[in-house]
Amino acid sequence: MAVIFQFIKENIICDFCLVLGILAWGVTIGARISSKKSGHFVSGIPAVGGFLIIIGFLTSSVKWLAFLGLLDFDLIYIIGVIPAVIRDNIAEKRYIPPEQLENGKVVEYSLYNKCYEEIKIPREYPYAEELHTINRYIILIRDGKYFLLKIERIDKIIEEIEAETTDECRSYASKRVKWVVLEQQ
């Protein structure tokens, strides 16, 4: 018991971080339980508890106990998910459509944008709508007619508009689009 009191006395910063870390863990676990019982989302303080415990033990004389901070599932989740999200965003921005799409040949496409426009599509429920964010446009030619595809993310076609020329297709798109021309008409 004397060893524990000696440790507490010598490692004030560690003690402070451990108390705050355990408190943050408790709040996060309590929020999860409350969310399950009530059916409504209640936010905790994800990853903060584990991070504080790691910092606390790294400032103490027993640094190997910092591994206890990795017991916080949210910290492991964040460490694993952030690189995947960054990789997906980079791939989304570098995406080039294939030459053939929707039984037509791709003529022009727009560069990626976080939001060119938003389209509301009514749902089955009264007064309910789905909001889709258009990130890119593709103009393709099929059976001698041009079509403007409004696309969400990489491959989800939200709307298809038929037109006679590429200029008419462009008129249906946002005015701030930067077009990449694949084939001259």
PDB file of all heavy atoms in Angstrom, residues 3-36:
ATOM      1  N   VAL A   3       3.636   1.587  -1.462  1.00  0.00           N
ATOM      2  CA  VAL A   3       4.170   1.768  -2.813  1.00  0.00           C
ATOM      3  C   VAL A   3       3.187   2.566  -3.668  1.00  0.00           C
ATOM      4  O   VAL A   3       3.576   3.453  -4.435  1.00  0.00           O
ATOM      5  CB  VAL A   3       4.457   0.388  -3.461  1.00  0.00           C
ATOM      6  CG1 VAL A   3       4.878   0.549  -4.899  1.00  0.00           C
ATOM      7  CG2 VAL A   3       5.505  -0.357  -2.678  1.00  0.00           C
ATOM      8  N   ILE A   4       1.894   2.292  -3.516  1.00  0.00           N
ATOM      9  CA  ILE A   4       0.868   3.000  -4.285  1.00  0.00           C
ATOM     10  C   ILE A   4       0.833   4.473  -3.898  1.00  0.00           C
ATOM     11  O   ILE A   4       0.783   5.354  -4.757  1.00  0.00           O
ATOM     12  CB  ILE A   4      -0.512   2.340  -4.081  1.00  0.00           C
ATOM     13  CG1 ILE A   4      -0.497   0.941  -4.682  1.00  0.00           C
ATOM     14  CG2 ILE A   4      -1.614   3.187  -4.701  1.00  0.00           C
ATOM     15  CD1 ILE A   4      -1.733   0.136  -4.405  1.00  0.00           C
ATOM     16  N   PHE A   5       0.894   4.756  -2.573  1.00  0.00           N
ATOM     17  CA  PHE A   5       0.892   6.150  -2.128  1.00  0.00           C
ATOM     18  C   PHE A   5       2.151   6.886  -2.597  1.00  0.00           C
ATOM     19  O   PHE A   5       2.084   8.059  -2.944  1.00  0.00           O
ATOM     20  CB  PHE A   5       0.761   6.229  -0.596  1.00  0.00           C
ATOM     21  CG  PHE A   5      -0.612   5.895  -0.115  1.00  0.00           C
ATOM     22  CD1 PHE A   5      -0.802   4.895   0.828  1.00  0.00           C
ATOM     23  CD2 PHE A   5      -1.720   6.576  -0.594  1.00  0.00           C
ATOM     24  CE1 PHE A   5      -2.066   4.580   1.274  1.00  0.00           C
ATOM     25  CE2 PHE A   5      -2.976   6.279  -0.145  1.00  0.00           C
ATOM     26  CZ  PHE A   5      -3.159   5.268   0.788  1.00  0.00           C
ATOM     27  N   GLN A   6       3.264   6.182  -2.603  1.00  0.00           N
ATOM     28  CA  GLN A   6       4.515   6.772  -3.088  1.00  0.00           C
ATOM     29  C   GLN A   6       4.393   7.121  -4.581  1.00  0.00           C
ATOM     30  O   GLN A   6       4.795   8.194  -5.017  1.00  0.00           O
ATOM     31  CB  GLN A   6       5.672   5.784  -2.868  1.00  0.00           C
ATOM     32  CG  GLN A   6       7.028   6.306  -3.269  1.00  0.00           C
ATOM     33  CD  GLN A   6       7.511   7.409  -2.361  1.00  0.00           C
ATOM     34  OE1 GLN A   6       7.067   7.542  -1.204  1.00  0.00           O
ATOM     35  NE2 GLN A   6       8.413   8.220  -2.855  1.00  0.00           N
ATOM     36  N   PHE A   7       3.787   6.203  -5.364  1.00  0.00           N
ATOM     37  CA  PHE A   7       3.587   6.430  -6.801  1.00  0.00           C
ATOM     38  C   PHE A   7       2.684   7.647  -7.029  1.00  0.00           C
ATOM     39  O   PHE A   7       2.963   8.493  -7.873  1.00  0.00           O
ATOM     40  CB  PHE A   7       2.967   5.178  -7.457  1.00  0.00           C
ATOM     41  CG  PHE A   7       2.687   5.341  -8.921  1.00  0.00           C
ATOM     42  CD1 PHE A   7       3.704   5.193  -9.854  1.00  0.00           C
ATOM     43  CD2 PHE A   7       1.422   5.670  -9.374  1.00  0.00           C
ATOM     44  CE1 PHE A   7       3.454   5.355 -11.197  1.00  0.00           C
ATOM     45  CE2 PHE A   7       1.155   5.836 -10.720  1.00  0.00           C
ATOM     46  CZ  PHE A   7       2.183   5.675 -11.635  1.00  0.00           C
ATOM     47  N   ILE A   8       1.606   7.738  -6.257  1.00  0.00           N
ATOM     48  CA  ILE A   8       0.661   8.856  -6.395  1.00  0.00           C
ATOM     49  C   ILE A   8       1.350  10.180  -6.062  1.00  0.00           C
ATOM     50  O   ILE A   8       1.158  11.185  -6.746  1.00  0.00           O
ATOM     51  CB  ILE A   8      -0.582   8.630  -5.503  1.00  0.00           C
ATOM     52  CG1 ILE A   8      -1.402   7.467  -6.059  1.00  0.00           C
ATOM     53  CG2 ILE A   8      -1.438   9.893  -5.409  1.00  0.00           C
ATOM     54  CD1 ILE A   8      -2.531   7.012  -5.160  1.00  0.00           C
ATOM     55  N   LYS A   9       2.185  10.164  -5.047  1.00  0.00           N
ATOM     56  CA  LYS A   9       2.891  11.367  -4.619  1.00  0.00           C
ATOM     57  C   LYS A   9       3.889  11.853  -5.679  1.00  0.00           C
ATOM     58  O   LYS A   9       4.010  13.047  -5.927  1.00  0.00           O
ATOM     59  CB  LYS A   9       3.652  11.056  -3.325  1.00  0.00           C
ATOM     60  CG  LYS A   9       3.387  11.977  -2.199  1.00  0.00           C
ATOM     61  CD  LYS A   9       4.192  11.424  -1.079  1.00  0.00           C
ATOM     62  CE  LYS A   9       4.172  12.174   0.162  1.00  0.00           C
ATOM     63  NZ  LYS A   9       4.931  11.570   1.216  1.00  0.00           N
ATOM     64  N   GLU A  10       4.589  10.928  -6.298  1.00  0.00           N
ATOM     65  CA  GLU A  10       5.662  11.286  -7.236  1.00  0.00           C
ATOM     66  C   GLU A  10       5.142  11.621  -8.639  1.00  0.00           C
ATOM     67  O   GLU A  10       5.857  12.248  -9.410  1.00  0.00           O
ATOM     68  CB  GLU A  10       6.667  10.142  -7.339  1.00  0.00           C
ATOM     69  CG  GLU A  10       7.465   9.946  -6.075  1.00  0.00           C
ATOM     70  CD  GLU A  10       8.369   8.727  -6.148  1.00  0.00           C
ATOM     71  OE1 GLU A  10       8.358   8.033  -7.195  1.00  0.00           O
ATOM     72  OE2 GLU A  10       9.077   8.472  -5.173  1.00  0.00           O
ATOM     73  N   ASN A  11       3.953  11.198  -8.980  1.00  0.00           N
ATOM     74  CA  ASN A  11       3.456  11.354 -10.347  1.00  0.00           C
ATOM     75  C   ASN A  11       2.141  12.131 -10.372  1.00  0.00           C
ATOM     76  O   ASN A  11       1.098  11.603 -10.749  1.00  0.00           O
ATOM     77  CB  ASN A  11       3.256   9.974 -10.985  1.00  0.00           C
ATOM     78  CG  ASN A  11       4.546   9.192 -11.059  1.00  0.00           C
ATOM     79  OD1 ASN A  11       5.478   9.611 -11.721  1.00  0.00           O
ATOM     80  ND2 ASN A  11       4.598   8.067 -10.373  1.00  0.00           N
ATOM     81  N   ILE A  12       2.195  13.390 -10.007  1.00  0.00           N
ATOM     82  CA  ILE A  12       0.999  14.233  -9.929  1.00  0.00           C
ATOM     83  C   ILE A  12       0.349  14.401 -11.316  1.00  0.00           C
ATOM     84  O   ILE A  12      -0.865  14.289 -11.449  1.00  0.00           O
ATOM     85  CB  ILE A  12       1.354  15.631  -9.345  1.00  0.00           C
ATOM     86  CG1 ILE A  12       1.981  15.502  -7.968  1.00  0.00           C
ATOM     87  CG2 ILE A  12       0.135  16.532  -9.335  1.00  0.00           C
ATOM     88  CD1 ILE A  12       1.048  15.094  -6.884  1.00  0.00           C
ATOM     89  N   ILE A  13       1.152  14.654 -12.349  1.00  0.00           N
ATOM     90  CA  ILE A  13       0.604  14.844 -13.696  1.00  0.00           C
ATOM     91  C   ILE A  13      -0.080  13.566 -14.165  1.00  0.00           C
ATOM     92  O   ILE A  13      -1.169  13.592 -14.745  1.00  0.00           O
ATOM     93  CB  ILE A  13       1.714  15.271 -14.683  1.00  0.00           C
ATOM     94  CG1 ILE A  13       2.251  16.640 -14.290  1.00  0.00           C
ATOM     95  CG2 ILE A  13       1.195  15.296 -16.113  1.00  0.00           C
ATOM     96  CD1 ILE A  13       3.452  17.077 -15.076  1.00  0.00           C
ATOM     97  N   CYS A  14       0.554  12.437 -13.886  1.00  0.00           N
ATOM     98  CA  CYS A  14      -0.024  11.141 -14.246  1.00  0.00           C
ATOM     99  C   CYS A  14      -1.362  10.956 -13.536  1.00  0.00           C
ATOM    100  O   CYS A  14      -2.348  10.533 -14.156  1.00  0.00           O
ATOM    101  CB  CYS A  14       0.935  10.012 -13.879  1.00  0.00           C
ATOM    102  SG  CYS A  14       0.260   8.365 -14.116  1.00  0.00           S
ATOM    103  N   ASP A  15      -1.410  11.266 -12.248  1.00  0.00           N
ATOM    104  CA  ASP A  15      -2.654  11.118 -11.478  1.00  0.00           C
ATOM    105  C   ASP A  15      -3.769  11.986 -12.065  1.00  0.00           C
ATOM    106  O   ASP A  15      -4.906  11.536 -12.225  1.00  0.00           O
ATOM    107  CB  ASP A  15      -2.435  11.516 -10.015  1.00  0.00           C
ATOM    108  CG  ASP A  15      -1.363  10.677  -9.352  1.00  0.00           C
ATOM    109  OD1 ASP A  15      -1.096   9.556  -9.841  1.00  0.00           O
ATOM    110  OD2 ASP A  15      -0.797  11.144  -8.358  1.00  0.00           O
ATOM    111  N   PHE A  16      -3.439  13.223 -12.366  1.00  0.00           N
ATOM    112  CA  PHE A  16      -4.421  14.145 -12.917  1.00  0.00           C
ATOM    113  C   PHE A  16      -4.968  13.618 -14.257  1.00  0.00           C
ATOM    114  O   PHE A  16      -6.179  13.595 -14.488  1.00  0.00           O
ATOM    115  CB  PHE A  16      -3.773  15.527 -13.096  1.00  0.00           C
ATOM    116  CG  PHE A  16      -4.700  16.579 -13.600  1.00  0.00           C
ATOM    117  CD1 PHE A  16      -5.711  17.072 -12.801  1.00  0.00           C
ATOM    118  CD2 PHE A  16      -4.573  17.062 -14.888  1.00  0.00           C
ATOM    119  CE1 PHE A  16      -6.576  18.038 -13.261  1.00  0.00           C
ATOM    120  CE2 PHE A  16      -5.433  18.026 -15.365  1.00  0.00           C
ATOM    121  CZ  PHE A  16      -6.440  18.523 -14.551  1.00  0.00           C
ATOM    122  N   CYS A  17      -4.070  13.164 -15.145  1.00  0.00           N
ATOM    123  CA  CYS A  17      -4.496  12.624 -16.446  1.00  0.00           C
ATOM    124  C   CYS A  17      -5.314  11.351 -16.267  1.00  0.00           C
ATOM    125  O   CYS A  17      -6.296  11.134 -16.994  1.00  0.00           O
ATOM    126  CB  CYS A  17      -3.283  12.351 -17.333  1.00  0.00           C
ATOM    127  SG  CYS A  17      -2.505  13.837 -17.974  1.00  0.00           S
ATOM    128  N   LEU A  18      -4.930  10.497 -15.313  1.00  0.00           N
ATOM    129  CA  LEU A  18      -5.677   9.262 -15.093  1.00  0.00           C
ATOM    130  C   LEU A  18      -7.087   9.550 -14.594  1.00  0.00           C
ATOM    131  O   LEU A  18      -8.050   8.930 -15.044  1.00  0.00           O
ATOM    132  CB  LEU A  18      -4.945   8.360 -14.095  1.00  0.00           C
ATOM    133  CG  LEU A  18      -3.696   7.664 -14.622  1.00  0.00           C
ATOM    134  CD1 LEU A  18      -3.025   6.879 -13.509  1.00  0.00           C
ATOM    135  CD2 LEU A  18      -4.016   6.775 -15.783  1.00  0.00           C
ATOM    136  N   VAL A  19      -7.233  10.489 -13.677  1.00  0.00           N
ATOM    137  CA  VAL A  19      -8.560  10.829 -13.160  1.00  0.00           C
ATOM    138  C   VAL A  19      -9.442  11.376 -14.281  1.00  0.00           C
ATOM    139  O   VAL A  19     -10.589  10.954 -14.448  1.00  0.00           O
ATOM    140  CB  VAL A  19      -8.449  11.842 -11.987  1.00  0.00           C
ATOM    141  CG1 VAL A  19      -9.796  12.442 -11.648  1.00  0.00           C
ATOM    142  CG2 VAL A  19      -7.845  11.167 -10.776  1.00  0.00           C
ATOM    143  N   LEU A  20      -8.896  12.301 -15.061  1.00  0.00           N
ATOM    144  CA  LEU A  20      -9.670  12.850 -16.180  1.00  0.00           C
ATOM    145  C   LEU A  20      -9.981  11.788 -17.237  1.00  0.00           C
ATOM    146  O   LEU A  20     -11.079  11.748 -17.795  1.00  0.00           O
ATOM    147  CB  LEU A  20      -8.930  14.017 -16.822  1.00  0.00           C
ATOM    148  CG  LEU A  20      -8.860  15.303 -16.007  1.00  0.00           C
ATOM    149  CD1 LEU A  20      -8.045  16.354 -16.754  1.00  0.00           C
ATOM    150  CD2 LEU A  20     -10.246  15.829 -15.709  1.00  0.00           C
ATOM    151  N   GLY A  21      -9.026  10.908 -17.503  1.00  0.00           N
ATOM    152  CA  GLY A  21      -9.227   9.842 -18.478  1.00  0.00           C
ATOM    153  C   GLY A  21     -10.305   8.863 -18.044  1.00  0.00           C
ATOM    154  O   GLY A  21     -11.173   8.482 -18.847  1.00  0.00           O
ATOM    155  N   ILE A  22     -10.274   8.464 -16.787  1.00  0.00           N
ATOM    156  CA  ILE A  22     -11.297   7.539 -16.279  1.00  0.00           C
ATOM    157  C   ILE A  22     -12.662   8.221 -16.261  1.00  0.00           C
ATOM    158  O   ILE A  22     -13.683   7.603 -16.591  1.00  0.00           O
ATOM    159  CB  ILE A  22     -10.888   7.004 -14.891  1.00  0.00           C
ATOM    160  CG1 ILE A  22      -9.673   6.083 -15.043  1.00  0.00           C
ATOM    161  CG2 ILE A  22     -12.038   6.287 -14.210  1.00  0.00           C
ATOM    162  CD1 ILE A  22      -9.018   5.674 -13.747  1.00  0.00           C
ATOM    163  N   LEU A  23     -12.695   9.501 -15.944  1.00  0.00           N
ATOM    164  CA  LEU A  23     -13.946  10.255 -15.982  1.00  0.00           C
ATOM    165  C   LEU A  23     -14.505  10.315 -17.419  1.00  0.00           C
ATOM    166  O   LEU A  23     -15.696  10.091 -17.644  1.00  0.00           O
ATOM    167  CB  LEU A  23     -13.727  11.673 -15.437  1.00  0.00           C
ATOM    168  CG  LEU A  23     -14.951  12.574 -15.415  1.00  0.00           C
ATOM    169  CD1 LEU A  23     -15.958  12.055 -14.389  1.00  0.00           C
ATOM    170  CD2 LEU A  23     -14.555  13.992 -15.079  1.00  0.00           C
ATOM    171  N   ALA A  24     -13.625  10.583 -18.387  1.00  0.00           N
ATOM    172  CA  ALA A  24     -14.065  10.639 -19.789  1.00  0.00           C
ATOM    173  C   ALA A  24     -14.558   9.276 -20.255  1.00  0.00           C
ATOM    174  O   ALA A  24     -15.555   9.181 -20.983  1.00  0.00           O
ATOM    175  CB  ALA A  24     -12.922  11.127 -20.686  1.00  0.00           C
ATOM    176  N   TRP A  25     -13.871   8.195 -19.855  1.00  0.00           N
ATOM    177  CA  TRP A  25     -14.327   6.837 -20.177  1.00  0.00           C
ATOM    178  C   TRP A  25     -15.717   6.592 -19.603  1.00  0.00           C
ATOM    179  O   TRP A  25     -16.589   6.044 -20.256  1.00  0.00           O
ATOM    180  CB  TRP A  25     -13.367   5.809 -19.611  1.00  0.00           C
ATOM    181  CG  TRP A  25     -12.459   5.187 -20.624  1.00  0.00           C
ATOM    182  CD1 TRP A  25     -12.509   5.322 -21.969  1.00  0.00           C
ATOM    183  CD2 TRP A  25     -11.375   4.319 -20.342  1.00  0.00           C
ATOM    184  NE1 TRP A  25     -11.511   4.599 -22.546  1.00  0.00           N
ATOM    185  CE2 TRP A  25     -10.793   3.977 -21.582  1.00  0.00           C
ATOM    186  CE3 TRP A  25     -10.823   3.808 -19.180  1.00  0.00           C
ATOM    187  CZ2 TRP A  25      -9.710   3.139 -21.681  1.00  0.00           C
ATOM    188  CZ3 TRP A  25      -9.734   2.968 -19.291  1.00  0.00           C
ATOM    189  CH2 TRP A  25      -9.179   2.636 -20.513  1.00  0.00           C
ATOM    190  N   GLY A  26     -15.895   6.990 -18.348  1.00  0.00           N
ATOM    191  CA  GLY A  26     -17.190   6.804 -17.689  1.00  0.00           C
ATOM    192  C   GLY A  26     -18.305   7.551 -18.395  1.00  0.00           C
ATOM    193  O   GLY A  26     -19.401   7.023 -18.591  1.00  0.00           O
ATOM    194  N   VAL A  27     -18.040   8.801 -18.805  1.00  0.00           N
ATOM    195  CA  VAL A  27     -19.042   9.588 -19.522  1.00  0.00           C
ATOM    196  C   VAL A  27     -19.378   8.929 -20.859  1.00  0.00           C
ATOM    197  O   VAL A  27     -20.546   8.837 -21.248  1.00  0.00           O
ATOM    198  CB  VAL A  27     -18.546  11.040 -19.733  1.00  0.00           C
ATOM    199  CG1 VAL A  27     -19.400  11.790 -20.718  1.00  0.00           C
ATOM    200  CG2 VAL A  27     -18.491  11.776 -18.401  1.00  0.00           C
ATOM    201  N   THR A  28     -18.375   8.448 -21.571  1.00  0.00           N
ATOM    202  CA  THR A  28     -18.602   7.812 -22.871  1.00  0.00           C
ATOM    203  C   THR A  28     -19.404   6.523 -22.719  1.00  0.00           C
ATOM    204  O   THR A  28     -20.356   6.278 -23.479  1.00  0.00           O
ATOM    205  CB  THR A  28     -17.255   7.523 -23.563  1.00  0.00           C
ATOM    206  OG1 THR A  28     -16.538   8.756 -23.684  1.00  0.00           O
ATOM    207  CG2 THR A  28     -17.459   6.924 -24.932  1.00  0.00           C
ATOM    208  N   ILE A  29     -19.051   5.696 -21.745  1.00  0.00           N
ATOM    209  CA  ILE A  29     -19.788   4.444 -21.522  1.00  0.00           C
ATOM    210  C   ILE A  29     -21.212   4.750 -21.071  1.00  0.00           C
ATOM    211  O   ILE A  29     -22.177   4.128 -21.529  1.00  0.00           O
ATOM    212  CB  ILE A  29     -19.034   3.557 -20.505  1.00  0.00           C
ATOM    213  CG1 ILE A  29     -17.737   3.050 -21.144  1.00  0.00           C
ATOM    214  CG2 ILE A  29     -19.899   2.393 -20.060  1.00  0.00           C
ATOM    215  CD1 ILE A  29     -16.778   2.393 -20.174  1.00  0.00           C
ATOM    216  N   GLY A  30     -21.376   5.741 -20.199  1.00  0.00           N
ATOM    217  CA  GLY A  30     -22.708   6.142 -19.753  1.00  0.00           C
ATOM    218  C   GLY A  30     -23.558   6.656 -20.912  1.00  0.00           C
ATOM    219  O   GLY A  30     -24.755   6.368 -20.996  1.00  0.00           O
ATOM    220  N   ALA A  31     -22.938   7.388 -21.823  1.00  0.00           N
ATOM    221  CA  ALA A  31     -23.670   7.903 -22.986  1.00  0.00           C
ATOM    222  C   ALA A  31     -24.125   6.758 -23.884  1.00  0.00           C
ATOM    223  O   ALA A  31     -25.234   6.780 -24.415  1.00  0.00           O
ATOM    224  CB  ALA A  31     -22.795   8.883 -23.765  1.00  0.00           C
ATOM    225  N   ARG A  32     -23.275   5.752 -24.050  1.00  0.00           N
ATOM    226  CA  ARG A  32     -23.667   4.592 -24.875  1.00  0.00           C
ATOM    227  C   ARG A  32     -24.843   3.848 -24.249  1.00  0.00           C
ATOM    228  O   ARG A  32     -25.781   3.451 -24.946  1.00  0.00           O
ATOM    229  CB  ARG A  32     -22.489   3.647 -25.037  1.00  0.00           C
ATOM    230  CG  ARG A  32     -21.493   4.153 -26.009  1.00  0.00           C
ATOM    231  CD  ARG A  32     -20.578   3.041 -26.476  1.00  0.00           C
ATOM    232  NE  ARG A  32     -19.584   3.622 -27.349  1.00  0.00           N
ATOM    233  CZ  ARG A  32     -18.287   3.445 -27.226  1.00  0.00           C
ATOM    234  NH1 ARG A  32     -17.825   2.655 -26.291  1.00  0.00           N
ATOM    235  NH2 ARG A  32     -17.469   4.017 -28.052  1.00  0.00           N
ATOM    236  N   ILE A  33     -24.781   3.640 -22.958  1.00  0.00           N
ATOM    237  CA  ILE A  33     -25.877   2.945 -22.268  1.00  0.00           C
ATOM    238  C   ILE A  33     -27.156   3.766 -22.368  1.00  0.00           C
ATOM    239  O   ILE A  33     -28.232   3.241 -22.656  1.00  0.00           O
ATOM    240  CB  ILE A  33     -25.492   2.665 -20.802  1.00  0.00           C
ATOM    241  CG1 ILE A  33     -24.357   1.634 -20.748  1.00  0.00           C
ATOM    242  CG2 ILE A  33     -26.697   2.190 -20.001  1.00  0.00           C
ATOM    243  CD1 ILE A  33     -23.731   1.465 -19.376  1.00  0.00           C
ATOM    244  N   SER A  34     -27.045   5.071 -22.160  1.00  0.00           N
ATOM    245  CA  SER A  34     -28.208   5.957 -22.254  1.00  0.00           C
ATOM    246  C   SER A  34     -28.795   5.943 -23.668  1.00  0.00           C
ATOM    247  O   SER A  34     -30.010   5.956 -23.840  1.00  0.00           O
ATOM    248  CB  SER A  34     -27.800   7.377 -21.865  1.00  0.00           C
ATOM    249  OG  SER A  34     -28.849   8.263 -22.065  1.00  0.00           O
ATOM    250  N   SER A  35     -27.930   5.912 -24.680  1.00  0.00           N
ATOM    251  CA  SER A  35     -28.398   5.867 -26.067  1.00  0.00           C
ATOM    252  C   SER A  35     -29.187   4.598 -26.344  1.00  0.00           C
ATOM    253  O   SER A  35     -30.214   4.627 -27.008  1.00  0.00           O
ATOM    254  CB  SER A  35     -27.221   5.950 -27.042  1.00  0.00           C
ATOM    255  OG  SER A  35     -26.650   7.212 -27.018  1.00  0.00           O
ATOM    256  N   LYS A  36     -28.690   3.480 -25.830  1.00  0.00           N
ATOM    257  CA  LYS A  36     -29.389   2.208 -26.051  1.00  0.00           C
ATOM    258  C   LYS A  36     -30.734   2.176 -25.353  1.00  0.00           C
ATOM    259  O   LYS A  36     -31.723   1.720 -25.909  1.00  0.00           O
ATOM    260  CB  LYS A  36     -28.533   1.043 -25.571  1.00  0.00           C
ATOM    261  CG  LYS A  36     -27.539   0.600 -26.587  1.00  0.00           C
ATOM    262  CD  LYS A  36     -27.039  -0.762 -26.273  1.00  0.00           C
ATOM    263  CE  LYS A  36     -26.229  -1.186 -27.462  1.00  0.00           C
ATOM    264  NZ  LYS A  36     -25.636  -2.406 -27.433  1.00  0.00           N
TER     265      LYS A  36
END
